[in-house]
Amino acid sequence: MSSYSVLRCFSQTCWNYNFGRCGSSLLFFPASQMSQKRQYRKHYNPKFREERAKKVIKMKLPDFEEQRRDEKLPIEELRVKLKEKGIAPPRNWNDKPLFVSCTGSVVDPYVPPEGDGKISAITGPGVKQVYETIGKKGKSYLALRKIRNVDYEFDIPTVAQKVQDIYIEAHTALSEKNEEKLHDLVTEKAFPEMMENIKNKTIVWKFIEQLEHARIVHVRVTDMVSRENLFAQVTCRLHTRQILAVYDRFGRLMHGSEDTVKDVLEYVVMEKNISLPHGSWKIHGKIIPDWMPQKEPIQKTYYLPDIEKDYPEPPPPSDKSLQESDSSSELHMKQSSS
C-alpha cells in the first residue's frame, strides 16, 4: 500500500470520528453561532430554577462619594437625611476601661514550719527550721529585686511595721463594722471573707502587745493582664497578744472572752499594686497551715418559739359537729353499698 492511500485512510477515519462526536452542527453552523448556542442553552433539568437563581446574591455597593459628602454636612441636615431613609442616628459607644485592683488568690503561699512559736531556736527542731527557711529565700530575693526596680524606697523592716499597723486598724474597723474604712485597708478578695457571718453579732477585739517583732518571711511578685501591671505580695509573721469576744444578737457569749488574753501567731499576706504610683499595702489574706489543729466551732443560738402561743391546740369538737359527721358518714356508706 502506498503512502498516499495510508494518509487517505487516516484522514477519513479522523473525519468520521469528529462527525460522530459533534453531530451535524459542524457542517451547518459556523463557530460564532455554535458558541452562542452553547452559552445560552437551557439547563437540562429546570426543576430547581428558582434555587439556582438564588445562588447569586445581588448586593448594593456603598456610595463612597455620598459618604464623603455626608461627613461635611451639619448635624441637623444629617439627622433629616437619616430620618428620610429610616435609619436611627448612631450613638457614641465608649467602653469602660478594665481595672484590676487585686489578684484573685495568694501567689505561691508560704508554708509555715510546724511548731513555729513554740520551739526554741536553740533546740534541734528549731535549728532545722532556721536552716529550711534560709533555703527557701532564693525566690524571695529575686522578687525583692523586682520590687526595688520599681519602688526604690522599699525597706523590709519599715514594711513589716506598717503591716502590723494596718492589721490593727483593719481589725478595729471590723469590730466597729466600719465598712468604708475597711475598704481602704483590705483588698476586694479579703473584704467578703472578713465580713462573713458577722451580721447580728457584736465583736470585741483589743490589741494588747507584740511578743516578737513583725517579720517578713515571704515575698512574691506577679503580673496581671499585662507584664507592666505588677502586684507584690509579702507574708508577714505576727506574734501578738490579743483579746477577742463574740456575742450573738441576744447578747450571749459565743466565742472567746473579754477577760482572757491569748497569744496569737498569724501569717498575714499583704498586697500592693507596685505599678501604681499611689498604691498602698492592703490585707489580702491569711495563711492557715494544714498541720494546725481545727478550732472549736462557735456555739450557735436559735430562737425557740412559744408553742402554746404560736401553735395553739385546736378546740374540742362540739356535739352538733359530731352529729353532722356521723350523718355524713352514714350517707356515704349507703351510697357506696347501693
Side-chain angles (χ1 to χ4, degrees):
M1 182 180 284
S2 62
S3 60
Y4 176 78
S5 60
V6 171
L7 291 173
R8 183 178 180 184
C9 291
F10 180 75
S11 60
Q12 189 68 29
T13 304
C14 293
W15 173 260
N16 294 335
Y17 174 77
N18 291 329
F19 183 83
R21 186 181 65 174
C22 301
S24 60
S25 59
L26 291 171
L27 301 174
F28 303 103
F29 295 98
S32 61
Q33 292 183 5
M34 284 172 56
S35 61
Q36 290 179 2
K37 185 177 181 181
R38 289 177 183 175
Q39 185 176 1
Y40 296 108
R41 64 183 181 181
K42 293 183 179 181
H43 197 274
Y44 68 94
N45 186 6
K47 183 178 179 181
F48 302 101
R49 183 177 180 182
E50 296 182 0
E51 286 77 4
R52 289 196 298 273
K54 290 178 182 179
K55 288 169 65 176
V56 181
I57 301 173
K58 297 180 180 179
M59 54 187 302
K60 188 177 181 182
L61 298 176
D63 190 355
F64 297 103
E65 292 295 334
E66 185 179 2
Q67 293 180 3
R68 295 190 186 97
R69 291 194 300 269
D70 292 345
E71 291 178 357
K72 300 179 182 179
L73 291 175
I75 298 175
E76 295 179 356
E77 295 183 8
L78 185 61
R79 285 180 179 174
V80 172
K81 191 171 184 180
L82 292 174
K83 204 168 184 180
E84 291 176 354
K85 293 182 178 180
I87 303 172
R91 296 181 179 180
N92 294 328
W93 185 264
N94 298 323
D95 293 333
K96 293 183 179 180
L98 179 64
F99 177 70
V100 181
S101 60
C102 68
T103 58
S105 61
V106 178
V107 180
D108 192 9
Y110 175 73
V111 181
E114 189 172 355
D116 190 12
K118 297 180 181 179
I119 300 174
S120 176
I122 303 172
T123 59
V127 174
K128 186 178 180 181
Q129 288 181 7
V130 173
Y131 179 75
E132 289 177 355
T133 53
I134 292 171
K136 295 178 181 178
K137 287 185 177 180
K139 292 183 179 180
S140 296
Y141 281 123
L142 294 175
L144 185 61
R145 185 182 297 178
K146 286 184 180 181
I147 295 174
R148 284 179 174 166
N149 288 337
V150 181
D151 187 3
Y152 305 104
E153 298 179 355
F154 183 82
D155 183 40
I156 289 179
T158 306
V159 173
Q161 186 61 36
K162 189 183 293 184
V163 168
Q164 183 172 323
D165 297 340
I166 294 171
Y167 175 85
I168 295 170
E169 291 180 10
H171 283 75
T172 305
L174 180 65
S175 62
E176 297 174 355
K177 297 183 180 180
N178 190 352
E179 297 185 7
E180 293 183 2
K181 187 177 180 181
L182 198 62
H183 273 295
D184 298 334
L185 299 172
V186 302
T187 59
E188 282 74 7
K189 171 190 171 293
F191 182 80
E193 295 175 358
M194 295 180 68
M195 294 296 294
E196 186 180 8
N197 295 330
I198 68 166
K199 187 179 180 181
N200 299 329
K201 295 181 180 64
T202 303
I203 300 173
V204 178
W205 183 87
K206 293 180 183 178
F207 178 82
I208 306 301
E209 61 179 351
Q210 62 176 5
L211 298 174
E212 297 181 37
H213 290 288
R215 188 173 79 248
I216 291 177
V217 296
H218 200 65
V219 182
R220 288 293 182 269
V221 177
T222 185
D223 54 62
M224 291 286 289
V225 181
S226 62
R227 293 185 177 180
E228 292 78 15
N229 193 22
L230 296 175
F231 287 88
Q233 291 184 359
V234 297
T235 304
C236 187
R237 179 182 180 273
L238 299 175
H239 196 190
T240 59
R241 304 186 72 188
Q242 305 173 10
I243 290 175
L244 176 63
V246 181
Y247 297 92
D248 62 0
R249 54 182 174 174
F250 305 112
R252 299 167 185 169
L253 184 65
M254 296 177 64
H255 180 73
S257 175
E258 294 189 40
D259 301 327
T260 306
V261 180
K262 288 192 175 183
D263 299 345
V264 181
L265 178 63
E266 290 182 313
Y267 291 89
V268 183
V269 181
M270 307 291 291
E271 187 178 88
K272 179 184 177 182
N273 190 348
I274 56 178
S275 300
L276 295 177
H278 302 291
S280 59
W281 290 103
K282 294 183 179 182
I283 296 176
H284 190 63
K286 290 183 182 179
I287 293 177
I288 301 174
D290 297 333
W291 50 262
M292 181 176 286
Q294 294 183 357
K295 295 182 179 180
E296 296 180 0
I298 295 177
Q299 298 177 1
K300 296 183 179 181
T301 57
Y302 301 94
Y303 171 73
L304 293 176
D306 190 356
I307 298 176
E308 295 181 357
K309 184 179 179 180
D310 297 341
Y311 303 99
E313 294 182 359
S318 61
D319 298 337
K320 293 182 178 180
S321 60
L322 289 172
Q323 293 176 2
E324 290 177 358
S325 62
D326 294 339
S327 61
S328 61
S329 60
E330 290 176 0
L331 288 172
H332 182 69
M333 291 290 291
K334 288 180 181 180
Q335 290 176 0
S336 60
S337 63
S338 61

